[in-house]
Amino acid sequence: MDSSIWATLSSLSSYLIPLLFLLILLEQVSYLKKKSTVPGPSLVFPFLGNAISLVQNPTRFWETQSDLARTSPLGVSANYITGKFVVFVRSTDLSRKVFANVRPDAFQLIAHPFGKKLFGDHNLIYMFGQDHKDLRRLLAPNFTPRALSIYVPIQQRIVVEHLARWLRLSNGTPIALRWLCRDLNLDTSQTVFVGQYLSGKSKERFNFDYNLFNVGLMKLPIDLPGFAFREARYRNQAFGNMGLDVGLFKLEPWMRSKLTGFSSLDDWQDDDDILEYRHSSSEVEESDGDDLLNPVSDIDLPMFREPFLETNDALTGAAHRVKHGVITNIGLMTFLTILLLLVDCSAWRIVRLPLEPFYLMRPFCISAIVVSCAGYVCIPLLQSLKIYSIIRREGPARHSSKKGTPTMGGLFFVPIGIIVAEVSVGFSSIEVRGAAVATLAFAAIGLLDDVLSIIKNHNYVRPERKMLVPLPAPLGLVCLGKCYLLLTSFCFVSMTNGINLTDGLDGLAGGTAALAFIGMSIAVLPICSDLSVFGASMAGACIGFLSHNRYKASVFMGDVGSLALGGALAAMASCTGMFLPLFISSGIFVLEAVSVIMQVSFFKTTKRLQGRGRRLFRMAPFHHHLELCGIKEPTIVAAAYVISSLSALLAGYVGLISA
């Protein structure tokens, strides 16, 4: 067994190593193209960039960036950190000119390389446009001359107390001031903004959390339990629960009413100087002008996606601490891994022939890993090419925050799934080749639709044109006579359009498609084991894509991905005659398609009978109806995964007993 596994890995290495080198080459070329003549490293470490040197010695790292910026006539330098191209701006005047003359969505102010993930989208420095202005307007009354006249005496008293304490500690000898200054800063901030409403116990808790936050601030962004970065993110969220946020203070209404001297929000008038978007810094030291920018795009990218979480929000403390979509994805991957291992262990009983170890698990894992790694190179490439999704105006209002997300992710995960399947079966299976041809044919139709949609700025290819795809020859072992062509055509039409309609929430289509592929892989295993490998490989590609497409998605699959997945599922059924397991495993896709048909039919019928069309659902497809009913997007996706998991098990069982 060990020798066969080693032989398989050796054969795959001849394909994986060149693919890895290709990804690294594309990453370096993309970096050098963006860098151009700007001072910065000539080559960067693959995938991580210079994140390691940043964490090891952040002071030296930024001093080096500052020195490089001095050598540039523009006063800027470039670098590459964890898949992001960053521009370091040293000059205060230049940073102001950038924000004053360049559209604010063209650059994303970083401040800290992993700051957005650590502080959250809602932080003031990551907000643009009207959202930024509204928040500044909310905070402005706290910084009027009248309000500041209250702060100064309090700050002066605290500073004097701390200076006296330092003198007692020093006793005439030098002492380290770093932590003492930190305590001074914490004491002044807490006392000025909250005063008597923050108890001594709360102060101690805040100081403890802030210490852990600072430790995680200098660590690698490994967002997993037990790592300092995860702990720092939790602590920042704990600040928000106390009414405090690092770098941004938020007063609860009852606190604001208790503090005297604050001007009323109702009496405060618009002030152009306050509402104007500006980036300010101290003129005293030149280093205050240092900024870190991440070039994003030339179109609107709303950075504010979620409102502030009030204390009476329905989300529990656990939901505050866990990034949306992570637990759902972990559960999905765990379920699929256990299921595939069980199938591999009992595969010889199903096919009555000895199969290679990890027959389905191997292509599944390889596809998932390769696609996940490829995303870190391909997604920035899609951003640089300005391939962004078109958000329908008639869709839910909250989907406007998805504007500016790259699309056409199917261009990198669908081919990888096909290639891994072909390599696993040795390029010798006519069934896999037929399924691959059908998948690529529908991918080409989806690509055409995506390209025309981007050019015309709306969905261009009509649904009926997506159905005009040459069907593969009947390669299955089951002959259904005259019904075969009819069922095959219906499968291709329904599956492609079903997945296309389902692809409306982050991670919904990718996760349910992965489960459908696994269900079909089990169902067709006794008939054509090679197609089972194809299904497992495509499922792994979907799982790898989910690492970038989960809530909140950094890329969408587009029509090139959704139509390809539908074509692949239909091809597996067409080549084996397993039509019933197909519709069972694809229950979510069927539900979404039926909801649209019912909505349109009901609207047209009521319009004809009553003169005014009425809607059966608030919006179709059905997942939009659930959204408008107030159900959170991750909750809808998680429920769909549970239903699809049961459907996949049932489809596999039906396929095995009917083979």
Side-chain angles (χ1 to χ4, degrees):
M1 180 179 294
D2 293 338
S3 60
S4 61
I5 295 176
W6 178 252
T8 302
L9 293 176
S10 300
S11 62
L12 289 176
S13 63
S14 60
Y15 298 97
L16 294 179
I17 293 176
L19 179 61
L20 180 62
F21 276 106
L22 177 61
L23 293 176
I24 295 174
L25 178 62
L26 290 175
E27 182 184 45
Q28 301 296 327
V29 171
S30 175
Y31 165 74
L32 293 175
K33 180 181 177 182
K34 293 178 180 179
K35 175 180 172 294
S36 186
T37 58
V38 176
S42 300
L43 296 174
V44 293
F45 193 81
F47 308 119
L48 290 178
N50 288 301
I52 297 178
S53 59
L54 168 63
V55 173
Q56 288 178 340
N57 195 335
T59 303
R60 183 178 179 182
F61 179 87
W62 295 121
E63 286 178 350
T64 302
Q65 287 298 127
S66 182
D67 293 339
L68 289 173
R70 285 196 186 98
T71 64
S72 171
L74 294 177
V76 300
S77 61
N79 213 313
Y80 188 77
I81 303 173
T82 60
K84 294 184 180 296
F85 178 77
V86 297
V87 178
F88 181 89
V89 182
R90 176 169 177 77
S91 169
T92 301
D93 293 334
L94 179 59
S95 64
R96 288 178 174 173
K97 290 179 180 179
V98 168
F99 284 101
N101 297 284
V102 179
R103 291 172 55 184
D105 58 338
F107 288 93
Q108 174 189 333
L109 182 63
I110 295 180
H112 184 278
F114 319 123
K116 188 175 180 182
K117 189 173 184 179
L118 195 58
F119 295 111
D121 294 350
H122 64 270
N123 196 277
L124 180 63
I125 62 175
Y126 299 121
M127 296 168 59
F128 291 110
Q130 191 60 41
D131 295 321
H132 179 93
K133 293 180 180 180
D134 291 343
L135 186 55
R136 286 173 63 99
R137 179 178 179 179
L138 176 65
L139 296 174
N142 301 329
F143 298 94
T144 59
R146 184 181 178 186
L148 292 174
S149 65
I150 300 176
Y151 303 158
V152 174
I154 300 175
Q155 289 179 328
Q156 183 177 3
R157 174 177 58 81
I158 296 173
V159 170
V160 170
E161 291 176 356
H162 278 263
L163 288 176
R165 188 180 304 120
W166 296 356
L167 290 175
R168 291 194 300 269
L169 289 174
S170 65
N171 196 20
T173 59
I175 58 174
L177 293 178
R178 179 180 179 183
W179 294 106
L180 295 176
C181 290
R182 190 209 67 154
D183 293 338
L184 170 62
N185 181 39
L186 285 175
D187 198 4
T188 53
S189 300
Q190 295 170 8
T191 306
V192 165
F193 287 116
V194 184
Q196 59 181 325
Y197 302 104
L198 190 62
S199 64
K201 184 177 180 181
S202 298
K203 278 189 175 183
E204 293 178 1
R205 182 63 184 176
F206 183 90
N207 293 343
F208 176 76
D209 289 342
Y210 189 77
N211 183 38
L212 292 178
F213 174 82
N214 275 295
V215 172
L217 201 63
M218 294 293 104
K219 300 297 183 180
L220 285 173
I222 304 177
D223 196 9
L224 294 174
F227 288 87
F229 186 84
R230 165 66 70 88
E231 191 68 26
R233 194 165 63 82
Y234 284 175
R235 300 305 165 182
N236 183 44
Q237 293 170 348
F239 300 149
N241 294 335
M242 294 173 60
L244 295 166
D245 201 352
V246 175
L248 177 63
F249 179 76
K250 183 180 69 172
L251 279 175
E252 299 296 341
W254 65 272
M255 289 183 180
R256 182 162 31 215
S257 63
K258 294 288 185 180
L259 293 177
T260 60
F262 279 67
S263 59
S264 171
L265 283 174
D266 298 331
D267 298 334
W268 186 76
Q269 302 296 326
D270 291 354
D271 188 339
D272 292 337
D273 292 335
I274 296 176
L275 290 182
E276 177 188 3
Y277 179 85
R278 65 172 61 175
H279 175 76
S280 59
S281 60
S282 173
E283 298 286 357
V284 179
E285 295 182 2
E286 187 182 2
S287 61
D288 287 344
D290 295 351
D291 289 306
L292 195 60
L293 304 176
N294 179 23
V296 180
S297 69
D298 294 330
I299 66 172
D300 293 333
L301 284 179
M303 306 305 298
F304 183 71
R305 292 191 173 186
E306 291 289 339
F308 284 107
L309 296 176
E310 302 294 344
T311 54
N312 59 349
D313 197 282
L315 292 175
T316 62
H320 283 290
R321 296 182 176 91
V322 181
K323 193 170 185 179
H324 292 301
V326 174
I327 288 184
T328 303
N329 276 17
I330 293 176
L332 176 62
M333 288 186 289
T334 303
F335 172 78
L336 292 178
T337 301
I338 295 174
L339 180 60
L340 286 177
L341 288 175
L342 291 175
V343 173
D344 281 336
C345 291
S346 56
W348 65 273
R349 298 179 181 177
I350 299 174
V351 298
R352 304 298 181 183
L353 291 173
L355 296 177
E356 297 179 6
F358 305 108
Y359 188 71
L360 298 181
M361 192 66 189
R362 184 175 63 250
F364 174 82
C365 291
I366 293 175
S367 292
I369 294 172
V370 174
V371 170
S372 181
C373 294
Y376 291 103
V377 176
C378 296
I379 294 175
L381 182 61
L382 293 174
Q383 290 177 332
S384 64
L385 296 175
K386 302 177 183 178
I387 301 176
Y388 299 113
S389 61
I390 305 299
I391 304 300
R392 297 185 306 152
R393 293 184 177 181
E394 61 271 19
R398 69 181 63 179
H399 283 206
S400 60
S401 63
K402 301 177 185 289
K403 184 180 179 182
T405 304
T407 187
M408 295 172 62
L411 285 175
F412 70 88
F413 83 85
V414 171
I416 291 176
I418 294 175
I419 292 173
V420 171
E422 287 282 10
V423 172
S424 299
V425 299
F427 297 94
S428 59
S429 174
I430 188 174
E431 291 85 3
V432 172
R433 194 168 304 166
V437 169
T439 303
L440 293 176
F442 277 94
I445 296 295
L447 177 62
L448 175 64
D449 188 16
D450 284 331
V451 171
L452 294 179
S453 297
I454 293 174
I455 295 175
K456 300 294 183 179
N457 201 31
H458 63 82
N459 292 330
Y460 190 80
V461 179
R462 297 176 61 85
E464 57 268 21
R465 296 185 185 178
K466 299 177 185 178
M467 305 174 187
L468 302 178
V469 178
L471 301 178
L475 303 171
L477 302 178
V478 179
C479 180
L480 300 176
K482 296 180 180 180
C483 297
Y484 183 86
L485 184 60
L486 179 63
L487 281 173
T488 301
S489 303
F490 179 73
C491 283
F492 276 96
V493 171
S494 59
M495 288 299 104
T496 53
N497 284 278
I499 298 182
N500 188 255
L501 292 171
T502 305
D503 187 26
L505 298 180
D506 295 346
L508 180 59
T512 51
L515 290 163
F517 275 115
I518 294 300
M520 285 299 296
S521 294
I522 299 173
V524 304
L525 185 59
I527 298 177
C528 182
S529 58
D530 288 343
L531 274 181
S532 294
V533 173
F534 175 80
S537 179
M538 293 302 295
C542 292
I543 292 297
F545 180 71
L546 276 181
S547 62
H548 306 284
N549 182 242
R550 63 175 172 81
Y551 184 84
K552 298 177 178 180
S554 57
V555 66
F556 299 142
M557 67 172 64
D559 284 354
V560 64
S562 60
L563 295 186
L565 294 180
L569 282 171
M572 291 181 67
S574 300
C575 293
T576 58
M578 288 292 179
F579 295 105
L580 180 57
L582 171 66
F583 287 106
I584 295 175
S585 64
S586 306
I588 293 294
F589 310 141
V590 175
L591 173 64
E592 297 279 28
V594 170
S595 69
V596 174
I597 295 173
M598 292 175 62
Q599 180 87 322
V600 174
S601 301
F602 187 77
F603 183 85
K604 290 184 176 180
T605 302
T606 53
K607 186 175 182 179
R608 182 176 300 175
L609 297 178
Q610 302 176 5
R612 180 182 178 184
R614 300 179 61 185
R615 289 175 172 81
L616 188 61
F617 305 107
R618 293 188 177 184
M619 186 177 291
F622 188 66
H623 59 260
H624 289 328
H625 170 78
L626 297 177
E627 276 190 290
L628 296 181
C629 289
I631 303 177
K632 300 290 184 180
E633 185 172 339
T635 305
I636 299 173
V637 174
Y641 286 177
V642 173
I643 296 173
S644 294
S645 299
L646 298 176
S647 300
L649 292 175
L650 180 59
Y653 175 75
V654 171
L656 293 178
I657 64 174
S658 61

